[in-house]
């Protein structure tokens, strides 16, 4: 199996070289959007890379000064985005023609050459050389562990411009034999349920909360900045609106990476074989979330999915129907069981935080959906911060803590 890592490296780029990179990024985005528009012109959306290459390659080469491999990378980017739209349509989901705006540029071994202290990058006017700006520590960094390691092969990179910085996200990989000692799960593991929401971005069945306060604060701040700039209506204001958007995306991605790392660590700590989320398809309608929140939920799921795979942990989505109204203790479902963030079962009287109750129900739904009854490796319970719930919703205390388990099992951690 392959072990893949992406290492972000800040680049030292001066004025003339920065201008060249900006021009190259602009032409790359134009090329990707040109191919996308062509793909949507016919009666059916074209997703074939070969067809799109035949139809658009010469036009893009004539209209831009891009390296041929950048033209191909832009075509691939467009084809994948169009394919994603078609897949969503097949699933009955809404999706519109993609449009690329985030400043980025895809590099491979033909367009980027990696050295020990700098990188050589192709632009629309020859190559530039940019030094790496690395942390002072020489050990225990992703740069030392992956990028500068003889065990890893550099496969390419993606250049991003964010918060006034040029960041090169370098892709590394190596072939490894599956190491069961690193996997966090036994053959019959447990499920970590995760509920997503507006007030709390994520809550786990083990009782850990990640609040949305910081996310909401910065979302309001960036929205206000954009509104103030829009009132000017000048080219300067437009350019600064674009800059605000890049800063916002960069800040949120950093936050979501941190949360995803902590979620995977939580699953490993408790020996979970599966991390179960609610289906994200209609989450905006269910939760009243903004488009920004929906983007965050999808991005968080993607981050958790690829990071958990390293440890042999599966990530899945389950039907979210009534997970916020169902009692995880007795199974009674009623709309008035939940009142805001408070949950109190009308039947058995069970009380707890509503998002924590929902996280347990999400884990239980995955568990029941995947129980085979033959001991064939299906997860055996939903993990709590002490003990677990079995498929019937019955609490199983840890073997060495049965006397105190009831207290810990219903004490969410924040």
């Amino acid at each position: 199996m392959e072990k893949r890592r992406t290492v972000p490296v800040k680049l030292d780029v001066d004025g003339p070289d920065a201008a060249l990179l900006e021009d190259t990024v602009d032409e790359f985005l134009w090329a990707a959007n040109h191919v996308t528009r062509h793909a949507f012109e016919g009666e059916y959306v074209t997703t074939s890379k070969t067809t799109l290459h035949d139809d658009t390659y010469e036009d893009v080469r004539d209209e831009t000064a891009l390296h041929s491999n950048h033209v191909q990378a832009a075509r691939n980017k467009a084809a994948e985005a169009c394919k994603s739209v078609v897949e969503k349509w097949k699933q009955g989901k809404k999706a519109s023609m993609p449009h690329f705006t985030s400043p980025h540029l895809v590099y491979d071994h033909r367009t980027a050459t990696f050295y020990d202290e700098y990188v050589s990058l192709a632009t629309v006017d020859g190559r530039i050389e940019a030094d790496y700006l690395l942390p002072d520590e020489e050990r225990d960094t992703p740069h030392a562990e992956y990028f500068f390691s003889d065990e890893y092969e550099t496969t390419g990179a993606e250049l991003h411009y964010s918060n006034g910085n040029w960041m090169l996200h370098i892709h590394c990989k190596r072939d490894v034999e599956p190491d069961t000692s690193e996997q966090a799960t036994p053959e019959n593991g447990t499920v970590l349920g995760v509920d997503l929401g507006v007030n709390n971005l994520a809550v786990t069945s083990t009782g850990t909360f990640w609040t949305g306060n910081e996310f909401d604060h910065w979302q309001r701040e960036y929205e206000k900045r954009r509104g103030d700039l829009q009132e000017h209506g000048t080219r300067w204001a437009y350019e600064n609106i674009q800059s605000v958007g890049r800063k916002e995306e960069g800040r949120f991605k950093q936050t979501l990476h941190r949360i995803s790392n902590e979620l995977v660590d939580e699953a490993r700590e408790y020996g979970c074989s599966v991390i179960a989320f609610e289906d994200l398809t209609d989450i905006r309608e269910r939760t009243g979330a903004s488009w920004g929140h929906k983007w965050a939920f999808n991005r968080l799921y993607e981050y958790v999915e690829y990071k958990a795979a390293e440890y042999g942990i599966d990530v899945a989505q389950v039907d979210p129907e009534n997970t916020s109204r169902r009692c995880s203790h007795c199974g009674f479902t009623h709309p008035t069981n939940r009142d805001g963030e408070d949950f109190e079962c009308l039947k058995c009287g069970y009380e707890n935080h509503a998002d924590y109750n929902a996280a347990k129900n999400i884990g239980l739904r995955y568990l029941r959906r995947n129980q085979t009854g033959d001991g064939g490796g299906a997860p055996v319970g939903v993990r709590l911060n002490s003990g677990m719930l079995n498929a019937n919703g019955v609490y199983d205390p840890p073997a060495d803590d049965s006397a105190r388990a009831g207290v810990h099992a219903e004490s969410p951690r924040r």
Side-chain angles (χ1 to χ4, degrees):
M1 60 178 288
E2 288 184 348
K3 185 175 182 179
R4 295 179 177 268
R5 286 291 178 270
T6 298
V7 181
V9 177
K10 187 176 180 180
L11 300 181
D12 183 11
V13 182
D14 61 18
D17 287 347
L20 274 178
L21 287 180
E22 289 173 7
D23 290 344
T24 309
V25 166
D26 287 344
E27 296 206 359
F28 179 82
L29 295 179
W30 180 90
N33 287 321
H34 174 79
V35 176
T36 301
R37 288 192 297 271
H38 178 82
F40 273 74
E41 284 178 354
E43 184 178 356
Y44 301 100
V45 176
T46 304
T47 60
S48 166
K49 293 179 182 179
T50 301
T51 302
L52 290 173
H53 174 86
D54 292 342
D55 292 350
T56 65
Y57 180 80
E58 294 299 332
D59 289 341
V60 174
R61 289 305 304 271
D62 290 342
E63 294 293 331
T64 71
L66 290 172
H67 189 285
S68 60
N69 284 58
H70 279 154
V71 174
Q72 294 173 31
R75 176 208 65 208
N76 292 343
K77 177 77 74 171
E80 291 298 329
C82 294
K83 188 180 297 184
S84 177
V85 168
V86 172
E87 287 300 319
K88 289 179 181 178
W89 287 347
K90 290 179 179 178
Q91 298 169 21
K93 301 177 183 178
K94 294 181 180 179
S96 57
M97 183 179 75
H99 183 71
F100 302 99
T101 58
S102 178
H104 70 285
L105 181 59
V106 178
Y107 279 93
D108 60 17
H109 278 294
R110 292 285 300 278
T111 50
T113 306
F114 302 91
Y115 298 95
D116 289 343
E117 297 180 353
Y118 68 94
V119 63
S120 171
L121 300 173
T123 72
V124 290
D125 186 17
R127 281 182 171 258
I128 67 164
E129 293 180 354
D131 292 337
Y132 306 132
L133 294 177
L134 300 171
D136 294 334
E137 299 86 355
E138 295 184 1
R139 295 183 176 182
D140 300 327
T141 67
H143 314 87
E145 187 175 356
Y146 307 120
F147 181 38
F148 294 117
S149 170
D150 293 336
E151 297 180 355
Y152 280 83
E153 172 192 357
T154 302
T155 60
E158 194 163 298
L159 182 69
H160 292 262
Y161 184 77
S162 177
N163 300 325
N165 297 314
W166 289 100
M167 300 293 297
L168 193 63
H169 294 207
I170 302 172
H171 305 314
C172 308
K173 74 170 185 177
R174 73 180 177 111
D175 293 326
V176 295
E177 293 295 328
D179 184 357
T180 56
S181 65
E182 287 192 3
Q183 294 186 7
T185 63
E187 181 180 357
N188 286 314
T190 55
V191 182
L192 181 71
V194 182
D195 179 65
L196 302 176
V198 176
N199 294 331
N200 295 298
L201 284 180
V203 179
T204 65
S205 57
T206 49
T208 300
F209 286 64
W210 288 269
T211 71
N213 294 342
E214 182 181 3
F215 184 94
D216 293 339
H217 167 73
W218 285 110
Q219 192 173 41
R220 290 192 298 269
E221 276 292 313
Y222 286 120
E223 190 62 38
K224 181 177 182 300
R225 292 180 194 178
R226 279 191 290 268
D228 292 342
L229 289 167
Q230 283 173 348
E231 292 181 359
H232 291 81
T234 63
R235 179 177 177 83
W236 170 86
Y238 172 77
E239 291 174 350
N240 276 273
I241 289 173
Q242 299 295 99
S243 176
V244 167
R246 292 192 292 269
K247 290 179 180 178
E248 180 181 26
E249 184 176 358
R251 179 182 289 274
F252 290 161
K253 282 183 177 179
Q254 185 178 29
T255 299
L256 295 171
H257 269 299
R258 174 181 58 80
I259 296 174
S260 64
N261 287 334
E262 293 173 358
L263 268 169
V264 174
D265 287 344
E266 188 91 350
R268 295 182 65 203
E269 177 184 351
Y270 285 98
C272 298
S273 57
V274 178
I275 302 174
F277 288 80
E278 59 191 296
D279 190 311
L280 304 180
T281 304
D282 299 314
I283 193 168
R284 185 165 181 259
E285 290 75 12
R286 294 196 307 273
T287 63
S290 65
W291 281 111
H293 281 98
K294 187 177 187 301
W295 170 86
F297 297 150
N298 282 297
R299 189 58 64 95
L300 178 62
Y301 181 86
E302 292 171 2
Y303 289 166
V304 171
E305 187 175 35
Y306 84 76
K307 292 176 181 181
E310 175 191 352
Y311 303 103
I313 301 173
D314 292 331
V315 180
Q317 297 183 24
V318 301
D319 184 354
E321 185 177 8
N322 289 325
T323 51
S324 64
R325 301 173 177 179
R326 179 185 176 92
C327 176
S328 61
H329 185 69
C330 74
F332 178 70
T333 303
H334 197 277
T336 54
N337 277 350
R338 178 169 187 164
D339 182 13
E341 293 191 342
D342 299 321
F343 184 93
E344 181 177 0
C345 180
L346 298 180
K347 183 177 180 180
C348 72
Y350 169 74
E351 297 181 51
N352 218 307
H353 193 287
D355 295 339
Y356 176 56
N357 177 73
K360 292 195 291 181
N361 279 327
I362 289 168
L364 284 169
R365 182 151 294 172
Y366 178 89
L367 188 67
R368 290 164 181 151
R369 187 185 75 184
N370 290 275
Q371 286 292 308
T372 62
D374 58 3
V380 296
V382 176
R383 201 62 171 89
L384 309 179
N385 62 351
S386 182
M388 67 178 71
L389 296 177
N390 65 26
N392 296 319
V394 177
Y395 175 66
D396 292 331
D400 59 350
D401 199 22
S402 58
R404 297 182 291 117
V407 177
H408 291 288
E410 303 303 340
S411 301
R413 300 174 294 157
R414 293 177 182 270

